[in-house]
Amino acid sequence: MSASLIEMRGITKSFGAVKANEGVDLSVAPGEILGLLGENGAGKTTLMNVLFGAYAPDAGEILVEGRPVAIHNSADALAAGIGMVHQHFHLAPRLTVLENLLIGIAGKSGRIDRARGLARLTEISRQYGLSLDPNLPVSALSVGEQQRLEIIKALFRGAKLLILDEPTAVLAPSEVDGLFAALRSMAAQGLGIIFISHKLNEVRALTHRCVVLRHGKVAGRVDHPAGTTSAEMATLMCGHEIVPPVKEASTPGASVLTLDGISTSGHAGTPLRDVSLFVRAGEILGIAGVSGNGQRALADVISGMLPPRSGTMTIAGKKVAQFSPRELQALGLGRIPEDRMTTGLVTNLPLVDSMVLPRIGTEAFSRKGLLNPAAIRAFAEAQIEAYDIRCPGPMVRAGALSGGNLQKALLARELAFDPKVLIVSQPTRGLDIGAARFIHEKFLAMRAKGCGIIVIGEDLEELLMLSDRIAVMYEGRIAGTLPSADATVARLGLMMTGAGHTGEAA
Amino acid sequence: MSAVFEQIFQVGFLAAIIRIATPLAFATLGEMFSERAGVLNLGIEGIMLLSAMAGFTAASLSGSLWLGVLVAVLVGALMGALHALFTVALGLSQHVCGIGVTLFCSGLAYFLYRLIFGQQSVPPSIGGFKPVPIPLLADIPILGPAVFNQFTLVYLAIIAVPLAAFVLYRTPWGLSVRMVGENPRAADSAGVSVIATRFQAVILGGALMGLAGAFLTMAQFNAFTFGVVSGRGWVAIALVVFGRWDPWRSAGAALLFAFVDALQLRMQASGLGHIPYEAFLMLPFIFTIVAMAIMSRNAVAPSALLKPFRREER
Ligand SMILES: Nc1ncnc2c1ncn2[C@@H]1O[C@H](COP(=O)(O)OP(=O)(O)OP(=O)(O)O)[C@@H](O)[C@H]1O
Ligand SMILES: [Mg+2]
């Protein structure tokens, strides 16, 4: 075996009854990009948190450049040359870029050494082509820039191994290319990189070698990712073949949701400007666009969280009067928000509460103003069963579930009441292909039952696969709508930049 | 009316403001350090009382005022550590533990005071600190006698403000404090011990609260009574919000409060006798409520305030 930079041997870690990692072996050589794959909940993040000293393993050892090291906390990991970019960023939004970089770094004669920090920042930006304004507060950075800051932070501390936990899940497709260029340049200069992603084409394009986890154990290794197909990798991950869902032809019915000349104001993010669109029963409308072009406002208007300044909205022929979430729910709207942690579920409460939250006052779950715990529990248990939500039971804290399982729980909750219209944002962000496939199938099944679905997303391939028509948003307007038969990634990409204004409502 | 005005704004007025502001400034800075690290310390009222009592006792038994100050600071730090033990190490509710610390400290102060001094009709007093004029500076008209002819502890408070700002904004430790108060996970993954940093900040805060207590019994009143703190701790908590968790603004808030308090004292003493004195007593508190209502609307608390940190939780 060639001299490895990092080696993990027999790592085991349990959370209560859950064995998140079991006897995992893994190594990375200098200059190597290792892909770490696995379904949601397979234990990838846990394994990396063990390597980074955030979790203490129950068994196993870690070797850095051949020598065993004891890593008890992140300080030890940093000292050993291990840096990590977490799935959820670890930054303080109100502090500046430079302050976030200098945290935990000893100063000069008791003071923060700004000058040296700035010099080091310039050096890193020259070496790897990563630059940032040091004096901006982190809250002013885009998500892509925050991620760059996290990478710089690790390099700043002299990381020889960089762990990236699903770095591309939060990036727009154009930003991914920039990230990959930086990662390749780091590897070329001798850094080791561990890259976690659910997007298998990315893994095949970037990594030199892959380790696949399943239920906490190593399920397989791939030595030439570029020479393997995504289907083969998926089979390794899930233990069975993943077949793409079939989209059957359907003839859409009458319009179930119509927006006419909707404009908004007073909203964080881009406001809507004169947006008109419709979805018919049994139809999926994709909304493409670089994030930040009004998708947030669109989703908020449709789900009743943002009353528009002008324009009208009709659901199944009824004009929306109040724009409250409750009214829209009563009219038959289901909603799966972009951020499952903040507007989707209540992470600190038992899962069962979140599963019934939007309909807590309805007859199904309460009688004469009192909750009906038996009905609530029965409902939650039935959904957990039907959607194969992996969790210890309905009483578990919602925040303890893995991303894929949270998304399934949200989906179960919204679909249980046969919505006429469903609005979803980024439905499969962060989900493994098995879970994504499951969700796609559910959407297509709802479509077959006559539900009108709006899917807001950045993943063009997913939109093309699901949608009947695709509308592109640009600067708060609908830049054009195409039947998906006419749409290609290239054509959509062009429309997303505001160029090539094509098509009327098709 | 102008006679009343003159009486209010006489030479001693400025000096009175400074004197009233001093314990508030110590307490506010102490609470600010604690909160910047993410720990609300509702124990402040009790910590001030217990330190005031301990400092007074040590000074009157030993005859050394500075020993008294030292004891007050140590007691404050110790009680800070107690609060940190509950809220930081054990991650218990900061509200409940803070009130618990206040009740515990108050009870202990009463108990020990009775035990040591017994029941006396006139509370024992000590010869407290004397003003120390600073040569030359004390001769500046108006400002001189008011600011530069004060107790050493007042000078200490004046130095403490820029010092606190320096520590918070210019030192690595200060950055760590701000970081653990904003995003402890970020600090943890940068190799900073969240637990240790929070402990240190809460202990430092307790020590400053101890200084505030020491000032009350050894410079301002020169005696210990059970009402010696009388809500100054609670006021300090409000002033931290008013001062938006910043040392300079917090000190400014303390000065402003002291101004209103000094004003109300003068108004009580002046010819406005037909108004019940309780009405004047209310003034500074009404001021605090109004000021808070206005200022706290766009004040943003440290994001991780009240949130315990447990590493393996997500
Ligand atoms: N802090 C924790 N407390 C309790 N259980 C946990 C914790 N962290 C992870 N788990 C559990 O351990 C298992 C592995 O989780 P982990 O986050 O490592 O999965 P993952 O492979 O990163 O999944 P994803 O692709 O969704 O990010 C899951 O069953 C999860 O519920
Ligand atoms: Mg993960």
Side-chain angles (χ1 to χ4, degrees), chain A residues 33 35 37 166-173 175-177 179-180 183-184 195-208 210 225-226 230 233 459 461:
Chain A
I33 305 181
L37 304 180
E166 295 191 39
T168 56
V170 296
L171 297 184
E175 292 173 307
V176 171
D177 297 336
L179 172 70
F180 282 12
L183 294 182
R184 288 198 181 100
F195 176 83
I196 300 179
S197 175
H198 290 296
K199 298 182 187 159
L200 298 179
N201 48 353
E202 289 177 359
V203 173
R204 282 171 42 230
L206 183 72
T207 64
H208 302 139
C210 291
S230 293
M233 283 195 188
D459 185 341
E461 277 163 31

Side-chain angles (χ1 to χ4, degrees), chain A residues 13 52-56 72-75 78 86 90-92 94-95 99-100 102-105 107 110-112 157 397 400-402, chain B residues 36 166 168-173 175-180 182-183 185-192 300-303 311-314:
Chain A
K13 171 77 188 171
F52 190 59
Y55 293 170
H72 299 297
N73 51 42
S74 305
L78 292 167
H86 291 84
H90 288 183
L91 298 169
R94 291 226 295 279
L95 305 189
E99 285 176 329
N100 272 278
L102 288 173
I103 173 74
I105 291 189
R111 301 179 55 159
I112 295 173
R157 290 170 163 70
R397 209 173 59 90
L401 263 65
S402 81
Chain B
R36 271 318 271 259
F166 178 83
L168 197 59
Y169 296 121
R170 293 291 151 86
T171 66
W173 183 75
L175 179 56
S176 302
V177 169
R178 286 183 288 144
M179 185 71 94
V180 298
E182 285 295 329
N183 185 351
R185 224 161 270 284
D188 183 60
S189 68
V192 170
V300 202
S303 314
R311 186 182 278 159
E312 300 209 357
E313 193 167 87
R314 66 172 184 187

Side-chain angles (χ1 to χ4, degrees), chain B residues 181-202:
Chain B
E182 285 295 329
N183 185 351
R185 224 161 270 284
D188 183 60
S189 68
V192 170
S193 166
V194 176
I195 304 292
T197 308
R198 285 190 166 172
F199 251 95
Q200 290 155 2
V202 178

